[in-house]
Amino acid sequence: MQRVFGAVMICFAGVAGAQTPPAEKPVTAPVVQSTILTLDQEALFSRSQFGKALRATIAQDASVAEAETRKIDADLEVEERDLTDKRAKLPADQFRLLADAFDTKVKGLRAQREAAASALREKEAAARQKFVAAVTQIIGDYMVERGATAIVDKKAIIVSLLSIDITTEIVALIDQKLGDGTVKP
């Protein structure tokens, strides 16, 4: 445990010294050889061409679902106003039948919309799984190239040096090797 703490203290000492450079030299992150690298998984999905293409497909499906929902809502509003108008003109038992039928219809449509939303969430999860499957080899090869033994999600780190964050390099490799995912490497 002391060995890890000592290594952390050395890293902090190096960072502290780097924070007060002479005014004439630009500040750059120190290059550190590390066996542990960090990666922002969400950034890979949102910044790579392949991730963007997958997200665009999901966004298009979500947009279609939203348009359908708006149309259904508008149709239901018209039908509800019509039903409200009939209330004063119909006997209570006839109105109750119409109101119950409308209520059943609304419940059915809600269930359909919930099922569609669930299917969209499942499609997004599948797209993320497809993305991870496609980029795992690229990330693994890069890890070996850097001599690292592990890659940790950046969000799980409390403090680290910027030089162990490989997100930008991995995004570039994904773009280079997979593009938008339409052509197999």
Side-chain angles (χ1 to χ4, degrees), residues 72-108:
I72 289 169
D73 286 347
D75 291 347
L76 288 175
E77 278 185 41
V78 169
E79 194 171 337
E80 185 177 25
R81 279 194 302 268
D82 183 46
L83 188 59
T84 301
D85 290 344
K86 289 180 181 178
R87 183 176 194 159
K89 300 173 188 169
L90 293 175
D93 58 335
Q94 286 181 350
F95 176 77
R96 175 58 32 215
L97 290 173
L98 293 174
D100 288 345
F102 179 74
D103 188 47
T104 300
K105 179 179 179 177
V106 168
K107 286 178 183 177

Side-chain angles (χ1 to χ4, degrees), residues 40-53 55 128 131 171:
D40 184 338
Q41 294 180 67
E42 191 57 37
L44 290 185
F45 193 64
S46 65
R47 291 180 11 205
S48 66
Q49 293 173 24
F50 186 34
K52 286 177 183 177
R55 287 178 60 218
R128 286 181 180 273
F131 179 81
V171 167

Side-chain angles (χ1 to χ4, degrees), residues 28-177:
T28 58
V31 176
V32 175
Q33 186 63 27
S34 176
T35 60
I36 298 175
L37 304 172
T38 64
L39 182 68
D40 184 338
Q41 294 180 67
E42 191 57 37
L44 290 185
F45 193 64
S46 65
R47 291 180 11 205
S48 66
Q49 293 173 24
F50 186 34
K52 286 177 183 177
L54 291 170
R55 287 178 60 218
T57 300
I58 294 163
Q60 183 178 7
D61 292 349
S63 179
V64 167
E66 286 174 26
E68 288 174 3
T69 298
R70 284 191 302 272
K71 181 175 181 344
I72 289 169
D73 286 347
D75 291 347
L76 288 175
E77 278 185 41
V78 169
E79 194 171 337
E80 185 177 25
R81 279 194 302 268
D82 183 46
L83 188 59
T84 301
D85 290 344
K86 289 180 181 178
R87 183 176 194 159
K89 300 173 188 169
L90 293 175
D93 58 335
Q94 286 181 350
F95 176 77
R96 175 58 32 215
L97 290 173
L98 293 174
D100 288 345
F102 179 74
D103 188 47
T104 300
K105 179 179 179 177
V106 168
K107 286 178 183 177
L109 289 171
R110 278 188 192 142
Q112 287 176 359
R113 300 312 320 145
E114 288 174 17
S118 178
L120 190 58
R121 285 189 299 273
E122 288 173 11
K123 185 173 183 175
E124 181 177 9
R128 286 181 180 273
Q129 288 175 345
K130 177 181 179 180
F131 179 81
V132 168
V135 304
T136 298
Q137 186 66 45
I138 295 168
I139 296 169
D141 290 347
Y142 189 80
M143 180 182 79
V144 170
E145 182 182 304
R146 288 276 303 258
T149 57
I151 298 176
V152 181
D153 190 292
K154 190 175 181 178
K155 292 176 183 85
I157 303 296
I158 296 170
V159 176
S160 72
L161 296 175
L162 291 175
S163 61
I164 68 168
D165 182 1
I166 59 170
T167 304
T168 301
E169 292 93 341
I170 297 297
V171 167
L173 284 171
I174 292 169
D175 288 350
Q176 175 189 0
K177 295 181 183 216

